[in-house]
Amino acid sequence: MDYQFRQIESEWQKFWAENQTFKVENHSSKPKYYVMDMFPYPSGAGLHVGHPLGYIASDIFARYKRLKGFNVLHPMGYDSFGLPAEQYAIQTGQHPAITTEQNIATYRRQLDQIGFSFDWSREVRTSSPDYYKWTQWIFMQLFNSWYNLETDKAESISTLIQKFEAEGNHAVKAASDEDVLSFSAEEYASFTDQKKQEELLKYRLTYLRESTVNWCPALGTVLANDEVKDGFSERGGYPVEQKKMMQWSMRITAYAERLLQGLDTIDWPEPLKEMQRNWIGKSVGAMVRFGIERGANPERGAGSEKSEFASPLPAPQSSLSLEVFTTRVDTIFGVTFVVLAPEHELVKSLTTPGQQADIDTYIDQAKKKSELDRMADTKTVSGAFTGSYVINPLDGKKIPVWIADYVLAGYGTGAVMGVPSGDARDHRFATHFNLPIVAILDTQKDVLKEADATKEGHYINSGFINGMEYKEATAAVIVKLEELNAGKAKINYRQRDAIFGRQRYWGEPVPVYFKDGLPQLIDQDKLPLVLPEVDKYLPTESGEPPLARAENWKYQNEFEYELSTMPGWAGSSWYWYRYMDPKNGQEFASKEAIAYWKDVDLYIGGSEHATGHLLYSRFWNKFLKDLGLVVEEEPFKKLINQGMIQGVSEKINISGTSGSTFYMIQGLQFNFPNTERLIISQNVRERIDETLVNTEWSKAEVLYATSQHHVDIKCVNSLTHELDIHKFIEWRPEFKNAIFWCSGGCWQNGSFKKFEGSNGDDKFYTKPEVEKMSKSKFNVVNPDEMIERYGADTLRMYEMFLGPLEQSKPWNTNGIEGVFKFLRKFWKLFHDDNFNFRVINEAPTKAELKTLHKIIKKVEDDVERFSFNTSVSSFMIAVNELTELKCAKRSILQDMVIILSPYAPHICEELWKLLGNEAGTLSYATYPKFNPEFLVEDAFSYPISINGKTKTNLNIPLSLDPKEVETLVLADENVQKYLGGKTPKKVIVVKGRIVNMVV
RNA sequence: GCCUGGGUGGUGGAACUGGUAGACACGCAGGACUUAAAAUCCUGUUCCCGUUAAAGGAGUGCGGGUUCGAUUCCCGCCCCAGGUACCA
């Protein structure tokens, strides 16, 4: 029979499912290997061709490892809490659990079709109560823990209470809130229970605190960052404001240093590690306190309010002072101004009456700017002078205090010392506002023209550090500042605590109730705290989260539950442990299972999770490790980022309405009721762009205010980018009366009017653009059609053939035929022209063995370095060679089947059976052993080049040494011809590589 | 702005430690088979010059450099994609 992929694939998928071929046990005499994918969110759009890319790669790897004798854990599950299901629920009233269930069924069907070797008996779903019971349980452990900086570990809160009872908190070194009280054991004992809890909350690893959220009053809800666009809600376009709200937070900052250090111990892509490093943002520097000039504005109230609590500095001499964090404390003599964030708490008290108007205007402006605006606009310098001055603690100079939005309130102290000679931004600021610029190092170039951030050379204009070099000066300045009680060395992290909650329905309920306004954990045996039923998935009229709608939902019928739910990253921060022991009702995973599987050996997923999921997972893992619940400090030993599969989006230009009732376009009249739109073909649009100024097109200026909109790629010919107007109108009926302006005329209501004197071109073109594949861009390509047409094995190999795994690439199906042809060719090796099985038991030839061992080696090397595209090519070469050799020998072909099986498992299972092996044993067969003897060559065709340009080749035995090779080459008459009688100045012979002659 | 990745034929890409640039595949062109088409098979296919063949020249984003030899290493620049919190 010819290669019948449909039949073969469904047959084997059924076989694997029925026989649980890939079910794996938590014990084995084989070494363990854990291959995991980032589990998907089951969206309503189903799987698209981008999803399987990583899954195919990890599946190949998992299957390969099985052949190499490992006990392989390769599970799959669903990250099934999320906003889209909830949004759908809001629109339709359908419970998100139902839609989620349906979406999962679609995903499962699609995943099964591709022939993955998942152990489905271990499937997890984050939205299932059996699962989120343990997410809640981990939350409770976090609540019951504090971070002891002395042991550098999380500990039970009870040890902290003991310390408080014994000695108060003076000697306690803990990661905590800024505003902790200072108390003795006696004072602690005198606290009411309420007060004690209040204080303890400031140390817990998960705690409540006020944080700013995107609040949309019209929708009565909090929005995620990506639901906000230019200060308006993406859905509906309602204004969004910043609102303070009590929110659960996770004290991830306690782990900053360990998260940073751990990066050096794991095998992850360097760019990804770099991203995490930048996110954590460790900077070693110093805190410097500038005294505020007395009498600046005393009637306006207190200075640094923070300092009575957790300031790293001892109490200031003056109550009026300003703290600045800097990484270049050595530049302190070059400070000519200080800049505060507009939101800084001291701005109010520092502003003099004369400057009040300026400052108010500036703050107003800054508030309106979105973060995006601030970023895009790095060239514009803005700021305002407060009217006050601070005193440089080292030389007593008066320094003006400004505010500017390039300083962020959330980082460091929200204040910067401006050193224009050394920092480009400060330089721009100084130049713009005409502030002095002082050079501080003798190596600095023309500092009036440009900042020079050098650390080289010797200090000048710098008081007691004049003449010193960088290292010495930095140390000296810090010593001096400490002496003066005006500063000290400090390590600062950019990372902040993670907000842990959202005001939504479809998430894990937080296992907390409130008593006297303080959060309390529910009893552990009440877990899981199941998501209650609600009548609607919207917030309440008073703006409370949807859970407030649940009737009679009270702890012990008395206490209010926490109404927010956990964020998306909760369930995904520990799921790799649940796969180890997914059905356990007593623990999140048994000690034995964790001791056996330990960690994930290979994790494949997208780099978009670099600073979210991957950082939070590492954080929770370290926490679980501190509690002795897991064994490894890092959860994912090796990580590979698969590149993004991009799609080609198609866009059209839609012009705004002009208010006229008809349009004249090139002398033709078109009806144009106010609500209709003019849609301009891309080729016309480009011509307008080019010739906008020409009189011929002057009318176009009126119409020109177009915006680009996505069109479903189903309406467009992907080769010509020609729009099918009929299909388009079917898809978007609101455009049924629109005018479609083509280069030779216009379409409206199905008829075409030709421009006078035009060629009558009635084709309408879209603009293609390569973008991320996404349902919202209408450019997704579904794998189902591909599988229907070519089968799963072809899809698997084709996705790998597309290019390097880690590189992003646009999806195209141009080469898929070649992969399909390859599989047929492979099938035909085993069959004669009439498709009769023809494999024979003869001894292989040298050439056949060479081909086989070449591919054994190549695929081994390629898989180990995740270069799957090159192994597909090598398979093609091997099959071409064997076809050429007319090889039908079992000893060659059987090994070929094993080597290819991770890539194309279905066809290989079928051939394995035809070869007479027991069905289903292929997955656990032994990978053939490479024997280098078969590849040994005794001669090599040396490229002979002159001045680096290859001229000819000479076949020379490899046994000859370079000198002999040289003699042989020079004796060759062909070579002499190229040399034209000249004697080469020099001859380079690299054995087995090349001969190069310099003439 | 900053960080990261990338730029090689008409296309996807290969070239692993500095050693024959363009493997493999798609597409295209020509041919075989066929009444015809599909399928299959064969041949050619970086560009320029050249009727063919030979010979020659250019060539891995651009400009330099190191080297007997550079897609690979170094310096400067341009462009594309992704990320991003102006992080002091």
Side-chain angles (χ1 to χ4, degrees), chain A residues 146-172:
Chain A
W146 66 292
Y147 198 88
N148 187 340
L149 293 172
E150 268 169 334
T151 56
D152 206 15
K153 270 172 88 163
E155 288 179 19
S156 163
I157 199 84
S158 60
T159 65
L160 184 67
I161 295 171
Q162 278 166 21
K163 279 178 192 274
F164 285 175
E165 284 171 349
E167 59 202 47
N169 76 343
H170 299 304
V172 168

Short mmCIF file of all heavy atoms in Angstrom, two decimals, chain A residues 146-172:
data_model
loop_
_atom_site.label_atom_id
_atom_site.label_comp_id
_atom_site.label_asym_id
_atom_site.label_seq_id
_atom_site.Cartn_x
_atom_site.Cartn_y
_atom_site.Cartn_z
N TRP A 146 7.76 34.34 57.30
CA TRP A 146 8.49 35.61 57.19
C TRP A 146 9.88 35.30 56.68
O TRP A 146 10.30 34.14 56.64
CB TRP A 146 8.56 36.32 58.55
CG TRP A 146 9.38 35.58 59.58
CD1 TRP A 146 9.06 34.39 60.16
CD2 TRP A 146 10.63 35.97 60.14
NE1 TRP A 146 10.03 34.01 61.05
CE2 TRP A 146 11.01 34.97 61.07
CE3 TRP A 146 11.48 37.08 59.97
CZ2 TRP A 146 12.20 35.03 61.81
CZ3 TRP A 146 12.66 37.14 60.71
CH2 TRP A 146 13.00 36.11 61.62
N TYR A 147 10.60 36.31 56.24
CA TYR A 147 11.93 36.06 55.68
C TYR A 147 12.99 36.54 56.66
O TYR A 147 13.11 37.72 56.96
CB TYR A 147 12.10 36.77 54.34
CG TYR A 147 13.26 36.17 53.56
CD1 TYR A 147 13.04 35.07 52.73
CD2 TYR A 147 14.55 36.67 53.68
CE1 TYR A 147 14.08 34.49 52.03
CE2 TYR A 147 15.59 36.10 52.99
CZ TYR A 147 15.36 35.00 52.16
OH TYR A 147 16.39 34.42 51.48
N ASN A 148 13.76 35.58 57.16
CA ASN A 148 14.82 35.89 58.10
C ASN A 148 16.10 36.20 57.34
O ASN A 148 16.69 35.33 56.70
CB ASN A 148 15.03 34.68 59.02
CG ASN A 148 16.00 35.01 60.15
OD1 ASN A 148 16.79 35.96 60.06
ND2 ASN A 148 15.95 34.21 61.21
N LEU A 149 16.54 37.44 57.39
CA LEU A 149 17.72 37.85 56.62
C LEU A 149 19.00 37.27 57.20
O LEU A 149 20.03 37.20 56.53
CB LEU A 149 17.82 39.38 56.56
CG LEU A 149 16.71 40.07 55.75
CD1 LEU A 149 16.79 41.57 55.92
CD2 LEU A 149 16.80 39.70 54.27
N GLU A 150 18.92 36.86 58.47
CA GLU A 150 20.13 36.27 59.08
C GLU A 150 20.39 34.87 58.56
O GLU A 150 21.51 34.51 58.23
CB GLU A 150 20.00 36.27 60.60
CG GLU A 150 20.59 37.52 61.18
CD GLU A 150 20.25 37.69 62.65
OE1 GLU A 150 19.20 37.17 63.09
OE2 GLU A 150 21.02 38.35 63.33
N THR A 151 19.32 34.07 58.50
CA THR A 151 19.50 32.71 57.96
C THR A 151 19.33 32.71 56.45
O THR A 151 19.58 31.71 55.80
CB THR A 151 18.46 31.75 58.57
OG1 THR A 151 17.16 32.29 58.31
CG2 THR A 151 18.65 31.60 60.06
N ASP A 152 18.89 33.85 55.91
CA ASP A 152 18.61 33.99 54.49
C ASP A 152 17.61 32.94 54.00
O ASP A 152 17.81 32.30 52.97
CB ASP A 152 19.91 33.91 53.68
CG ASP A 152 19.77 34.67 52.36
OD1 ASP A 152 18.82 35.45 52.22
OD2 ASP A 152 20.62 34.47 51.47
N LYS A 153 16.56 32.77 54.76
CA LYS A 153 15.55 31.78 54.45
C LYS A 153 14.21 32.26 54.97
O LYS A 153 14.13 33.02 55.92
CB LYS A 153 15.85 30.48 55.21
CG LYS A 153 16.73 29.49 54.50
CD LYS A 153 17.08 28.37 55.43
CE LYS A 153 16.04 27.27 55.39
NZ LYS A 153 16.55 26.02 55.97
N ALA A 154 13.16 31.71 54.34
CA ALA A 154 11.83 31.92 54.90
C ALA A 154 11.67 31.00 56.09
O ALA A 154 12.18 29.89 56.11
CB ALA A 154 10.78 31.60 53.84
N GLU A 155 10.98 31.51 57.11
CA GLU A 155 10.72 30.70 58.29
C GLU A 155 9.27 30.85 58.69
O GLU A 155 8.60 31.81 58.31
CB GLU A 155 11.61 31.17 59.45
CG GLU A 155 13.07 30.82 59.30
CD GLU A 155 13.90 31.32 60.46
OE1 GLU A 155 13.32 31.61 61.54
OE2 GLU A 155 15.13 31.43 60.28
N SER A 156 8.83 29.93 59.54
CA SER A 156 7.46 30.02 60.04
C SER A 156 7.31 31.30 60.85
O SER A 156 8.21 31.70 61.59
CB SER A 156 7.14 28.82 60.90
OG SER A 156 5.99 29.09 61.67
N ILE A 157 6.16 31.91 60.73
CA ILE A 157 5.89 33.16 61.46
C ILE A 157 6.02 32.94 62.97
O ILE A 157 6.31 33.86 63.72
CB ILE A 157 4.49 33.70 61.07
CG1 ILE A 157 4.36 35.18 61.41
CG2 ILE A 157 3.37 32.90 61.72
CD1 ILE A 157 4.90 36.09 60.36
N SER A 158 5.87 31.68 63.41
CA SER A 158 5.94 31.41 64.85
C SER A 158 7.34 31.73 65.40
O SER A 158 7.46 32.18 66.55
CB SER A 158 5.56 29.96 65.14
OG SER A 158 6.45 29.10 64.46
N THR A 159 8.37 31.53 64.61
CA THR A 159 9.71 31.86 65.10
C THR A 159 9.87 33.37 65.26
O THR A 159 10.61 33.84 66.12
CB THR A 159 10.83 31.34 64.17
OG1 THR A 159 10.76 32.01 62.91
CG2 THR A 159 10.71 29.83 63.96
N LEU A 160 9.16 34.11 64.44
CA LEU A 160 9.22 35.56 64.55
C LEU A 160 8.50 36.01 65.83
O LEU A 160 8.98 36.88 66.55
CB LEU A 160 8.58 36.21 63.32
CG LEU A 160 8.65 37.73 63.26
CD1 LEU A 160 10.10 38.20 63.09
CD2 LEU A 160 7.80 38.28 62.13
N ILE A 161 7.36 35.38 66.07
CA ILE A 161 6.59 35.72 67.28
C ILE A 161 7.45 35.44 68.52
O ILE A 161 7.52 36.26 69.44
CB ILE A 161 5.27 34.93 67.32
CG1 ILE A 161 4.38 35.38 66.14
CG2 ILE A 161 4.54 35.12 68.64
CD1 ILE A 161 3.13 34.55 65.92
N GLN A 162 8.15 34.31 68.49
CA GLN A 162 9.04 33.98 69.61
C GLN A 162 10.07 35.08 69.85
O GLN A 162 10.32 35.50 70.96
CB GLN A 162 9.78 32.67 69.34
CG GLN A 162 8.95 31.43 69.66
CD GLN A 162 9.58 30.18 69.06
OE1 GLN A 162 10.78 30.17 68.76
NE2 GLN A 162 8.78 29.15 68.88
N LYS A 163 10.66 35.54 68.74
CA LYS A 163 11.66 36.60 68.85
C LYS A 163 11.05 37.86 69.44
O LYS A 163 11.63 38.49 70.32
CB LYS A 163 12.26 36.91 67.48
CG LYS A 163 13.34 35.95 67.03
CD LYS A 163 13.82 36.32 65.64
CE LYS A 163 14.67 35.22 65.03
NZ LYS A 163 16.10 35.33 65.43
N PHE A 164 9.87 38.21 68.94
CA PHE A 164 9.21 39.41 69.43
C PHE A 164 8.94 39.29 70.93
O PHE A 164 9.14 40.23 71.70
CB PHE A 164 7.88 39.63 68.70
CG PHE A 164 8.03 40.15 67.30
CD1 PHE A 164 6.92 40.30 66.47
CD2 PHE A 164 9.28 40.49 66.79
CE1 PHE A 164 7.05 40.78 65.18
CE2 PHE A 164 9.42 40.95 65.49
CZ PHE A 164 8.30 41.09 64.68
N GLU A 165 8.51 38.11 71.33
CA GLU A 165 8.17 37.91 72.73
C GLU A 165 9.42 37.94 73.61
O GLU A 165 9.38 38.41 74.74
CB GLU A 165 7.43 36.58 72.91
CG GLU A 165 5.98 36.69 72.43
CD GLU A 165 5.26 35.35 72.37
OE1 GLU A 165 5.94 34.30 72.49
OE2 GLU A 165 4.02 35.35 72.21
N ALA A 166 10.51 37.47 73.05
CA ALA A 166 11.74 37.39 73.84
C ALA A 166 12.50 38.71 73.86
O ALA A 166 13.02 39.11 74.90
CB ALA A 166 12.63 36.29 73.30
N GLU A 167 12.56 39.38 72.72
CA GLU A 167 13.46 40.54 72.66
C GLU A 167 12.93 41.71 71.84
O GLU A 167 13.70 42.60 71.46
CB GLU A 167 14.81 40.10 72.11
CG GLU A 167 14.71 39.49 70.73
CD GLU A 167 15.90 38.60 70.40
OE1 GLU A 167 16.28 37.77 71.25
OE2 GLU A 167 16.43 38.75 69.28
N GLY A 168 11.66 41.68 71.51
CA GLY A 168 11.15 42.76 70.67
C GLY A 168 11.68 42.63 69.26
O GLY A 168 12.13 41.55 68.86
N ASN A 169 11.65 43.72 68.50
CA ASN A 169 12.09 43.58 67.10
C ASN A 169 13.40 44.31 66.81
O ASN A 169 13.80 44.39 65.67
CB ASN A 169 10.98 44.03 66.15
CG ASN A 169 10.84 45.53 66.09
OD1 ASN A 169 11.34 46.23 66.97
ND2 ASN A 169 10.18 46.03 65.06
N HIS A 170 14.07 44.80 67.84
CA HIS A 170 15.29 45.58 67.57
C HIS A 170 16.35 44.77 66.88
O HIS A 170 17.01 45.24 65.95
CB HIS A 170 15.83 46.18 68.87
CG HIS A 170 14.85 47.09 69.51
ND1 HIS A 170 14.32 48.18 68.85
CD2 HIS A 170 14.27 47.08 70.74
CE1 HIS A 170 13.47 48.81 69.65
NE2 HIS A 170 13.41 48.15 70.80
N ALA A 171 16.50 43.52 67.28
CA ALA A 171 17.58 42.70 66.72
C ALA A 171 17.12 41.86 65.53
O ALA A 171 17.91 41.17 64.91
CB ALA A 171 18.14 41.79 67.80
N VAL A 172 15.83 41.95 65.25
CA VAL A 172 15.31 41.12 64.16
C VAL A 172 15.74 41.69 62.81
O VAL A 172 15.56 42.87 62.54
CB VAL A 172 13.76 41.06 64.24
CG1 VAL A 172 13.19 40.45 62.96
CG2 VAL A 172 13.34 40.26 65.45
#
